[in-house]
């Protein structure tokens, strides 16, 4: 990529820096509750609304041309088209990722003539419709298409008003079709309808009337507020949760990030790159909410990365908040590339054990435990006198407590750890006590299909499997019991309690607490599954009041076995073939049964383990 090596432009960078520094005086009240939440991916297709500036989570720049208007916009190869000429590597970008120039009309070296990003591309079409304000610096032309139309009469250079609908699932296309290389378009901000009330600037509203009806004065539009990074509705949702886990914000399962100098920056045009959202942005949100930031260190993070990461967070973490630190994610899950990479690291570290016939899969938990402990030590050392505010956790497998035990004891790594087990200096074992994952297995689909003809489409049978009881609360044999070894005589929720107990035994015998890094229902479509009726049943079950019962039961079981923080997966997620993960389906919808089941744990139920009060 032809990056113009100029200094980061002061205009946006300074504003962001001042904003984050100023936020130090507006910390949220630290939560004394026991449940946390995972945040959904920070992407252009996600149905939540984390930032006020919607451009931050636009999709990446792509290159376009139009035939016959643009010379050379034909004879495409290797998947190119006028929609995407696949010439991103030939773009000229400044250090913050803004295009500094566009090809001339007669340029024969490239096909593209304009660059675009997509926003709000999701089938749920849940972003607020209305007039969005687009403000920018520089000279040129920005065009809008698909879900957006420029309101020319209300626009002027540097400020466009765009009417955006939510009836087009293809999203909003924002295109730079002309730019002055001497003063190129940059620092684009896309501000949604609404704002905050003058009488309480933590309250979101769309109109003056909404603010007046609440006795909170008049509307202050987002354009007329300064220093606001996070959308007030998003912040309101999250206040009260014990921790915010940023797994998907830093793209842990795919991030190539290894070196600190390559990290995402606050002043970047987009926060949707390969390594996701800047770490200091995550901590800023946690500070404002009053929740512990749960951050996953990148799989390939160097020691230097860990040191400088610690230095940055130590300098900005709000008083009374802790940093929950996790190395990578699910190192035992071979559906993720990091597990395969760690497997190879283990084989390279102990070739003598491989030669003796020890399976690399037996070695891998020791390697993960070793690396997690090494990185934890670096971060805690940098925190110095505040090292107790760093809570380092292992990522174990809920259904197989042997994984966590091997990570904690790291028997093959003892010689590299000075003879000490890896759990020494660590602060917890984290697992994901999901229930019901096996119900989507195609191996039992033949039985599940017989449920579809029931009058309720199979929801009743599904909850018999999950809860081990009928609609009246009477104990029943789960309908898949005996048809798969995964089914448990007392139901899927009860099965998970046995996993909790086994992992708690592993952690407590080593003097560590047990946390849940994720949890909730796990009804899924396996890879290649195209059964629309099963997707309909999954979705219906997640909207059924009995799912709230299942969530309450699993949280009660978690407390009973001695678990500490339970981090739900996840905040907002639209039902699809990829899952029905969200407590909420959209940012602005609050009547979801799972959300309502969890709200008491966010708002009124105090944390339950010894020493948990702030």
């Amino acid at each position: 990529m032809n990056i113009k090596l100029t200094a980061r432009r002061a205009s946006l960078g300074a504003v962001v820096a001042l904003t984050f520094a100023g936020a130090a005086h507006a910390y949220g009240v630290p939560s004394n509750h026991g449940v946390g939440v995972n945040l959904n991916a920070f992407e252009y297709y996600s149905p939540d609304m984390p930032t006020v500036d919607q451009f931050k989570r636009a999709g990446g720049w792509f290159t376009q041309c139009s035939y016959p208007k643009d010379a050379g916009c034909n004879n495409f190869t290797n998947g190119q088209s006028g929609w995407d000429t696949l010439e991103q590597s030939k773009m000229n970008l400044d250090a913050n990722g803004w295009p500094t120039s566009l090809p001339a009309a007669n340029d024969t070296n490239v096909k593209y003539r304009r660059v675009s990003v997509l926003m709000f591309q999701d089938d749920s079409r849940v972003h607020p419709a209305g007039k969005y304000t687009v403000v920018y610096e520089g000279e040129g032309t920005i065009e809008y298409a698909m879900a957006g139309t420029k309101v020319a009469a209300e626009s002027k250079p540097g400020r466009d008003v765009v009417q955006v609908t939510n009836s087009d699932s293809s999203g909003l296309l924002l295109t730079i079709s002309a730019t002055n290389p001497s003063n190129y378009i940059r620092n684009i901000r896309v501000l949604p309808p609404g704002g905050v009330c003058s009488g309480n600037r933590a309250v979101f509203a769309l109109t003056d009337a909404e603010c007046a009806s609440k006795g909170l004065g008049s509307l202050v539009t987002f354009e007329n507020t300064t220093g606001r990074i996070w959308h007030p509705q998003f912040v309101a949702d999250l206040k009260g949760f014990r921790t915010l886990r940023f797994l998907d914000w830093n793209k842990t399962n795919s991030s190539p990030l290894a070196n600190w100098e390559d990290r995402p920056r606050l002043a970047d045009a987009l926060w949707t790159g390969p390594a996701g959202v800047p770490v200091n942005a995550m901590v800023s949100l946690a500070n404002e909410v009053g929740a512990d930031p749960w951050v996953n260190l990148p799989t390939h993070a160097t020691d230097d990365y860990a040191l400088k990461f610690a230095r940055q967070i130590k300098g900005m973490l709000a008083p009374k908040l802790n940093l929950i630190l996790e190395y990578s994610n699910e190192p035992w899950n071979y559906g993720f590339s990091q597990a395969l990479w760690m497997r190879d690291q283990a084989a390279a570290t102990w070739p003598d054990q491989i030669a003796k016939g020890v399976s690399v899969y037996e070695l891998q938990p020791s390697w993960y435990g070793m690396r997690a402990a090494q990185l934890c030590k670096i971060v805690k050392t940098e925190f110095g006198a505040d090292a107790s505010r760093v809570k380092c956790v292992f990522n174990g497998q809920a259904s197989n407590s042997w994984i966590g035990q091997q990570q904690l004891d790291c028997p093959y790594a003892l010689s590299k750890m000075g003879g000490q087990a890896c759990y020494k200096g660590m602060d917890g074992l984290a697992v994901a006590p999901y229930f019901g994952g096996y119900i989507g297995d195609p191996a039992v689909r033949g039985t599940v299909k017989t449920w579809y003809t029931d009058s309720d489409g199979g929801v009743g049978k599904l909850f018999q499997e999950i809860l081990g009881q009928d609609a009246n609360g009477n104990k029943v044999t789960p309908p898949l019991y005996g048809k798969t070894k995964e089914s448990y005589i007392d139901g899927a929720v009860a099965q998970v309690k046995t996993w909790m107990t086994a992992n708690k035994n592993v952690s407590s015998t080593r003097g560590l607490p047990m946390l849940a890094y994720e949890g909730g229902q796990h009804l899924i479509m396996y890879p290649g599954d195209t059964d629309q009726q099963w997707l309909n049943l999954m979705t219906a079950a997640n909207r059924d009041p009995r799912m709230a019962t299942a969530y309450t039961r699993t949280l009660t079981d978690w407390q009973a076995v001695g678990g500490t923080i339970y981090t739900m997966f996840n905040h907002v997620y639209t039902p699809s073939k990829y899952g029905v993960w969200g407590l909420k389906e959209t940012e602005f919808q609050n009547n979801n049964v799972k959300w309502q089941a969890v709200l008491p744990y966010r708002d009124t139920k105090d944390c339950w383990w010894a020493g948990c009060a702030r």
Side-chain angles (χ1 to χ4, degrees):
M1 188 172 291
N2 299 320
I3 302 295
K4 181 180 176 182
L5 297 177
T6 56
R8 290 183 174 269
R9 301 188 68 87
S11 51
L12 178 62
V15 169
V16 174
L18 287 170
T19 296
F20 277 65
H25 304 290
Y27 296 143
V29 176
S31 169
N32 270 318
H33 305 299
V35 168
V37 69
N38 281 265
L39 301 184
N40 194 13
F42 193 92
E43 297 285 3
Y44 67 97
Y45 49 77
S46 297
D48 55 0
M49 191 164 276
T51 51
V52 170
D53 176 10
Q54 298 304 295
F55 195 85
K56 282 296 186 189
R57 63 180 192 142
W61 296 108
F62 60 103
T63 52
Q64 296 187 301
C65 64
S66 177
Y67 180 84
K69 174 183 176 183
D70 298 322
C73 190
N74 52 19
N75 300 322
F76 296 113
T77 60
N78 300 319
Q80 290 180 309
S81 68
W83 171 256
D84 188 351
T85 67
L86 302 179
E87 295 174 301
Q88 288 86 337
S89 64
K90 299 179 181 180
M91 292 174 58
N92 293 314
L93 303 177
D94 74 5
N96 295 332
W98 298 106
T100 60
S101 63
L102 293 172
N106 60 352
D107 190 333
T108 59
N109 295 311
V110 296
K111 294 182 179 296
Y112 83 95
R113 297 293 183 266
R114 58 188 58 80
V115 295
S116 300
V117 296
L118 276 170
M119 304 170 65
F120 311 133
Q121 188 180 59
D122 65 277
D123 290 337
S124 58
R125 300 182 291 276
V126 295
H127 58 275
K131 290 182 178 178
Y132 285 65
T133 304
V134 180
V135 293
Y136 59 92
E137 297 175 31
E139 299 171 351
T141 303
I142 301 178
E143 299 177 1
Y144 310 90
M146 299 190 312
T149 304
K150 180 176 176 178
V151 183
E154 300 179 36
S155 302
K156 61 182 181 180
R159 181 186 184 274
D160 289 340
V161 175
V162 182
Q163 185 71 45
V164 176
T165 72
N166 55 14
S167 59
D168 189 340
S169 63
S170 58
L172 168 65
L173 184 71
L174 183 152
T175 300
I176 298 179
S177 58
T179 195
N180 179 356
S182 299
N183 186 19
Y184 55 88
I185 290 177
R186 62 198 181 274
N187 300 339
I188 300 170
R189 291 185 296 141
V190 179
L191 308 177
V196 295
C197 295
S198 61
N200 184 344
R201 297 203 174 203
V203 176
F204 169 67
L206 285 169
T207 64
D208 275 321
E210 279 187 59
C211 292
S213 69
K214 299 172 183 176
L216 295 176
S218 58
L219 179 72
V220 182
T221 65
F222 287 126
E223 185 180 9
N224 291 320
T225 62
T226 57
R228 179 174 290 278
I229 301 295
W230 308 109
H231 196 288
Q233 177 64 46
F234 188 72
V235 171
D237 266 8
L238 300 179
K239 281 191 173 182
F241 282 117
R242 181 80 180 202
T243 183
L244 307 180
R245 185 167 180 257
F246 293 100
L247 166 80
D248 288 324
W249 275 32
N250 61 5
K251 300 191 177 181
T252 307
N253 293 326
S254 61
S255 175
L257 188 60
N259 300 309
W260 183 249
E261 56 266 29
D262 298 326
R263 72 194 184 280
R265 314 290 179 111
L266 295 176
D268 287 346
L270 305 170
W271 290 353
T272 51
V277 177
V279 167
N280 41 349
M282 300 178 198
V283 177
S284 162
L285 175 62
N287 284 347
E288 185 169 340
V289 168
D292 295 334
W294 185 320
V295 181
N296 302 72
L297 281 176
T299 301
H300 306 287
T302 64
D303 289 358
D304 180 70
Y305 181 99
L307 173 66
K308 291 173 180 173
F309 163 91
R311 190 169 296 162
Q312 183 177 80
I313 291 185
K314 179 186 176 184
M316 66 179 300
L317 186 62
K320 296 187 178 182
L321 293 185
N322 296 321
L323 165 66
I324 303 178
L325 186 67
E326 176 186 355
Y327 170 50
S328 192
N329 176 61
E330 297 191 355
W332 43 266
N333 184 345
Y334 291 97
F336 294 138
S337 62
Q338 66 264 27
L340 300 172
W341 183 82
M342 291 183 202
R343 177 200 62 188
D344 294 344
Q345 302 311 300
T349 302
W350 295 294
D352 56 325
Q353 297 296 334
I354 297 292
K356 293 176 183 178
V358 178
S359 167
V360 69
Y361 299 102
E362 184 176 343
L363 297 173
Q364 182 178 352
S366 284
W367 189 91
Y368 172 80
M370 175 183 70
R371 188 59 181 150
Q374 290 169 344
L375 293 169
C376 175
K377 184 176 181 180
I378 292 169
V379 174
K380 285 190 172 184
T381 299
E382 179 61 27
F383 265 67
D386 288 329
S388 63
R389 297 178 67 195
V390 180
K391 307 299 182 183
C392 299
V393 299
F394 295 101
N395 183 297
Q397 185 176 13
S399 61
N400 182 2
S401 61
W402 177 86
I403 295 289
Q405 177 260 312
Q406 289 288 297
Q407 292 173 351
L408 271 63
D409 293 345
C410 60
Y412 295 100
L414 290 177
S415 64
K416 297 180 181 296
M417 297 297 294
Q420 281 199 329
C422 290
Y423 72 84
K424 301 288 187 179
M426 295 287 284
D427 302 282
L429 171 64
V431 295
Y434 285 112
F435 58 83
Y438 65 90
I439 304 173
D441 190 340
V444 297
R445 187 59 54 81
T447 299
V448 172
K449 282 184 175 181
T450 67
W451 305 350
Y452 299 165
T453 57
D454 292 353
S455 60
D456 63 359
V459 175
K461 291 276 180 41
L462 181 54
F463 278 107
Q464 288 182 19
E465 184 65 34
I466 291 172
L467 297 171
Q469 61 186 36
D470 63 19
N472 297 317
N474 300 313
K475 180 175 173 54
V476 297
T477 300
L480 295 180
Y481 186 70
K483 296 179 174 61
T484 170
K485 64 180 182 180
E486 302 293 338
S487 185
Y488 188 69
I489 186 62
D490 294 320
V493 170
Q495 176 190 51
V496 172
K497 187 178 181 180
T498 68
W499 301 347
M500 296 173 183
T501 301
N503 282 284
K504 183 63 170 63
N505 288 338
V506 169
S507 66
S508 62
T509 55
R510 291 158 181 79
L512 297 181
M514 178 178 67
L515 302 82
Y517 67 87
E518 294 171 16
Q521 62 79 37
H522 202 280
L523 302 177
I524 59 171
M525 299 184 78
Y526 280 47
D529 191 349
T530 59
D531 185 351
Q532 183 63 41
Q533 287 179 286
W534 169 239
L535 176 56
N536 294 343
L537 178 52
M538 285 167 44
T539 303
N542 274 273
R543 294 169 175 169
D544 190 283
R546 283 166 288 188
M547 189 59 80
T549 301
Y551 271 56
T552 301
R553 268 186 54 183
T554 203
L555 284 167
T556 300
D557 289 345
W558 179 256
Q559 294 173 62
V561 303
T564 61
I565 297 172
Y566 190 109
T567 314
M568 291 289 174
F569 193 87
N570 63 13
H571 176 214
V572 183
Y573 195 98
T574 303
S576 73
K577 65 180 180 180
Y578 303 109
V580 195
W581 304 112
L583 295 174
K584 301 171 66 171
E585 295 183 11
T586 75
E587 180 67 68
F588 300 97
Q589 179 186 27
N590 293 306
N591 60 350
N592 309 79
V593 296
K594 291 183 293 186
W595 182 247
Q596 291 299 316
V598 170
L599 282 183
Y601 294 88
R602 185 197 71 175
D603 296 340
T604 58
K605 293 180 180 290
D606 289 335
C607 55
W608 50 82
W609 60 96
C612 67
R614 308 273 191 182

